[in-house]
Amino acid sequence: MNNTATFENSLISLSYLGKMLLVDYKKRAIIDLKAAKKSIQEREKFTKNAPTLIIADFSKIEYVTTEARSFFAGPSNKTTMATAIIISSKIQEVMGKIYIKFNKPKTPVKLFTRISDAQEWLQTFIKS
């Protein structure tokens, strides 16, 4: 695994933080179903479909549609082992809690305000 690799398009940038993949969503993005599918497709191509621990930085996102939340939670997300979502506002926290409670993601998901805390939590999923 090349941990210095990066990828960027108009929606996301991808890079590795150790063994974790940082998915950084662009400022003021609105994630609809098409954007959700594209981000998963780019992520799987970037990781070569390897099982992946994800840090998804949603702190700059404006909104995620209902269809996109369902897609992210569903079985289409085959290679994700666990996801730490970075948030920066009370509104994002509420949206994140709704996502976890009602969309019931197929893999562990937790909300964080700091990347370092997210990394610490994801570390527990790495087999020694």
Side-chain angles (χ1 to χ4, degrees):
M1 183 183 312
N2 180 359
N3 285 7
T4 59
T6 59
F7 167 84
E8 190 164 351
N9 66 17
S10 61
L11 178 65
I12 58 173
S13 66
L14 303 173
S15 60
Y16 283 103
L17 288 174
K19 295 181 177 181
M20 297 157 204
L21 181 67
L22 175 62
V23 182
D24 189 8
Y25 286 85
K26 299 297 174 90
K27 189 172 180 69
R28 305 202 44 86
I30 293 174
I31 309 299
D32 59 10
L33 182 58
K34 182 179 176 187
K37 286 181 176 181
K38 184 72 175 156
S39 81
I40 297 281
Q41 180 184 28
E42 293 295 353
R43 198 169 78 199
E44 288 176 346
K45 191 164 62 173
F46 185 78
T47 61
K48 298 175 177 57
N49 290 314
T52 309
L53 295 167
I54 306 289
I55 298 175
D57 188 346
F58 275 54
S59 63
K60 298 178 287 271
I61 284 184
E62 196 161 299
Y63 186 72
V64 182
T65 67
T66 304
E67 297 82 12
R69 287 193 300 270
S70 294
F71 180 78
F72 280 134
S76 60
N77 221 339
K78 297 184 271 306
T79 61
T80 302
M81 295 166 50
T83 303
I85 299 175
I86 307 302
I87 56 169
S88 64
S89 71
K90 203 71 177 150
I91 291 170
Q92 289 175 339
E93 181 182 359
V94 169
M95 283 179 26
K97 286 180 177 179
I98 289 169
Y99 168 71
I100 292 167
K101 184 172 182 165
F102 294 105
N103 293 103
K104 298 181 180 1
K106 304 287 180 254
T107 58
V109 174
K110 194 167 177 183
L111 304 175
F112 295 91
T113 56
R114 295 179 0 192
I115 288 178
S116 58
D117 294 337
Q119 287 176 292
E120 196 175 301
W121 178 70
L122 287 172
Q123 202 66 42
T124 63
F125 295 91
I126 297 175
K127 311 254 186 301
S128 43

